[in-house]
Amino acid sequence: MKEKPPLRYPDVKVGDEIPPFVVEKLTRADFVRYAGASGDFNPIHYDQTFAEAAGLPTVFAQGMLNAGFLAKCVTDYVGVGNLRKFRVRFATRVWPGDTVTCRGRVTEKYVENGRCYIAGELESVTQKGEVALRGSFVAELPPD
């Protein structure tokens, strides 16, 4: 398998789309695995009885799990070592069975103190068209 060449500042234009990262049909097992990896053992994410007692129809994904998917989307594009800022805001819940598509676009290019940066918008959307997360990023890229 051929490795993708690293993204360089001249390669990027304002308006460029970040290739989507899709996670299909999330499961309760995904939520439990993430709980184990992250230490977020809030039962609202895996215990049906607890979720129903809280007035919810079922369990839902940890917000940081979805933030991790969005982070993968942007780091796949810019390279993990180039990401300088990453922010997200939770908009809605993601339920078992949902498919999440993470995507974004470049909104700005600039040079500051001799370093080359790109900035952009990110979002995570369910198969129903609901925005689960909105975010932004800044990445420093090689100048040539």
Side-chain angles (χ1 to χ4, degrees):
M1 186 169 150
K2 188 174 181 180
E3 189 170 315
K4 180 181 101 174
L7 190 65
R8 300 171 314 118
Y9 187 75
D11 299 334
V12 180
K13 297 184 298 291
V14 171
D16 280 357
E17 299 286 328
I18 295 172
F21 173 70
V22 179
V23 181
E24 295 186 7
K25 297 184 179 177
L26 283 160
T27 66
R28 289 170 192 258
D30 294 325
F31 305 165
V32 171
R33 282 192 286 273
Y34 183 78
S38 69
D40 179 355
F41 288 101
N42 185 331
I44 202 103
H45 300 299
Y46 60 85
D47 185 323
Q48 183 68 33
T49 304
F50 188 90
E52 289 175 355
L56 298 167
T58 189
V59 299
F60 61 92
Q62 296 90 341
M64 293 306 291
L65 173 61
N66 291 313
F69 297 147
L70 202 54
K72 177 168 175 37
C73 177
V74 70
T75 57
D76 283 353
Y77 180 63
V78 301
V80 69
N82 295 328
L83 189 63
R84 298 294 180 262
K85 288 185 184 175
F86 175 71
R87 294 183 177 165
V88 295
R89 170 168 242 143
F90 304 111
T92 194
R93 296 180 182 111
V94 173
W95 307 98
D98 278 351
T99 292
V100 174
T101 300
C102 301
R103 59 191 180 205
R105 70 182 182 91
V106 176
T107 59
E108 184 180 3
K109 285 180 72 172
Y110 59 95
V111 177
E112 185 176 281
N113 297 324
R115 297 175 180 244
C116 300
Y117 297 94
I118 63 170
E121 302 169 337
L122 302 165
E123 67 180 6
S124 169
V125 181
T126 70
Q127 78 284 357
K128 294 172 261 181
E130 298 172 330
V131 176
L133 292 176
R134 291 188 195 284
S136 62
F137 74 94
V138 174
E140 181 181 350
L141 297 179
D144 52 22

